[in-house]
Amino acid sequence: MDNTIVAALLGLLEGLTEFIPVSSTGHVLLAGYFLGFESPGRAFEVLIQLGAIMAILGVYAKRLWHLFSSAPHNPASRRFILAVLLAFLPAAVIGVLAHEIIKTVFFETPALIAWMLVIGGIVILIVDRKAPTPRVTEVEQISLPMAVGIGFIQCLAMIPGTSRSGATIVGAMLMGVGKRAAAEFSFFLSMPTMAGAFVYDLFQNRDILDGQAIGNIVIGFICAFIMAVIVVKWLLGYVSRHGYALFGWWRIIVGSVVLLALAAGM
């Protein structure tokens, strides 16, 4: 299949899966593996996340403007911004320290990704049903200690297949955060986390990205942006009504199919 078409399909897949707890990177890596897609330094899989970043910034532009414009005179706004930054710090530090093993080992092991999809799916099904009664129902109410805890849990997502949004949502729910508020905090935390990953990965791969690789990234970015806008607008309403069980089953089915395909030598 033509690389341009594959890049577009992977971009759509990135946008579809970035903000739901199924692991966008895991899905893109597995799809690329079976489609025979190669990217220099595995930069494509990280850099197309810029599309998802721009989507969340666009959808939340009004709210972000209010948050930052009110921060100088509103302690609640300042505290929430600090909570997001504190939650971001563990991933920033550990991501830099573990960058090489993430890219050269975790990204190159389809069986590990598939197993993490299955295990994470089981965890989501259990937590969705058994999570403690929420004590926090609005995202701005998340405390600084909660934010730090969610930040450390997010680091589990450095293993593809775990899911950044899945880890943060499950972690938040276990700490007593409601389902909608957990998803919203995951959205806010995605902004510095994914932007940081984008900048760092672009810097690391600046010398090996040729014209074709950049063209594929641009195509993937555009497709990811369009799909992510649709998903973000839909997701909060869905999880408020139905929870996360659908995504748990999604992960288990996809992971199991991949494991069977790998066992069959595909």
Side-chain angles (χ1 to χ4, degrees):
M1 188 181 294
D2 181 77
N3 259 9
T4 302
I5 297 174
V6 175
L9 291 174
L10 294 180
L12 291 172
L13 184 60
E14 159 66 27
L16 173 65
T17 56
E18 179 58 54
F19 297 110
I20 60 178
V22 299
S23 180
S24 62
T25 303
H27 277 68
V28 171
L29 285 169
L30 289 173
Y33 172 81
F34 287 108
L35 291 172
F37 182 79
E38 296 287 342
S39 67
R42 289 296 185 186
F44 175 89
E45 290 81 356
V46 175
L47 297 183
I48 62 169
Q49 292 178 353
L50 178 64
I53 299 170
M54 299 305 294
I56 198 74
L57 287 173
V59 172
Y60 273 75
K62 184 177 180 180
R63 194 162 173 183
L64 288 167
W65 172 255
H66 173 75
L67 183 67
F68 283 100
S69 63
S70 65
H73 53 81
N74 187 335
S77 295
R78 292 197 299 271
R79 192 196 61 78
F80 183 67
I81 292 171
L82 178 59
V84 174
L85 292 176
L86 287 174
F88 160 67
L89 280 177
V93 174
I94 297 174
V96 170
L97 294 176
H99 183 265
E100 185 174 353
I101 190 172
I102 292 168
K103 280 299 196 73
T104 60
V105 179
F106 296 161
F107 272 41
E108 303 295 338
T109 314
L112 173 64
I113 299 171
W115 276 114
M116 294 308 297
L117 284 172
V118 173
I119 293 168
I122 294 170
V123 171
I124 287 174
L125 289 176
I126 294 171
V127 173
D128 188 60
R129 179 173 291 195
K130 302 292 186 181
T133 301
R135 294 178 287 108
V136 174
T137 56
E138 298 294 333
V139 68
E140 293 85 357
Q141 297 172 345
I142 290 176
S143 67
L144 298 184
M146 277 184 175
V148 172
I150 293 169
F152 276 103
I153 292 171
Q154 179 182 231
C155 294
L156 296 173
M158 292 177 190
I159 305 174
T162 302
S163 171
R164 185 203 57 78
S165 60
T168 55
I169 288 169
V170 165
M173 288 172 62
L174 289 174
M175 294 180 195
V177 180
K179 293 178 180 179
R180 182 186 178 95
E184 279 206 287
F185 192 75
S186 176
F187 289 170
F188 279 103
L189 182 53
S190 74
M191 299 178 203
T193 302
M194 292 162 59
F198 174 87
V199 171
Y200 186 73
D201 211 82
L202 181 61
F203 175 77
Q204 290 290 316
N205 292 289
R206 65 192 183 283
D207 295 327
I208 62 173
L209 293 175
D210 56 19
Q212 181 180 359
I214 293 172
N216 288 337
I217 290 167
V218 171
I219 292 168
F221 156 80
I222 294 170
C223 292
F225 172 81
I226 295 170
M227 184 61 75
V229 168
I230 296 169
V231 171
V232 169
K233 290 183 175 181
W234 163 82
L235 182 62
L236 291 178
Y238 178 85
V239 299
S240 297
R241 295 188 302 271
H242 305 292
Y244 294 97
L246 170 66
F247 308 116
W249 287 114
W250 175 336
R251 294 173 60 108
I252 292 169
I253 292 169
V254 171
S256 298
V257 169
V258 170
L259 288 171
L260 289 172
L262 291 172
M266 293 179 62

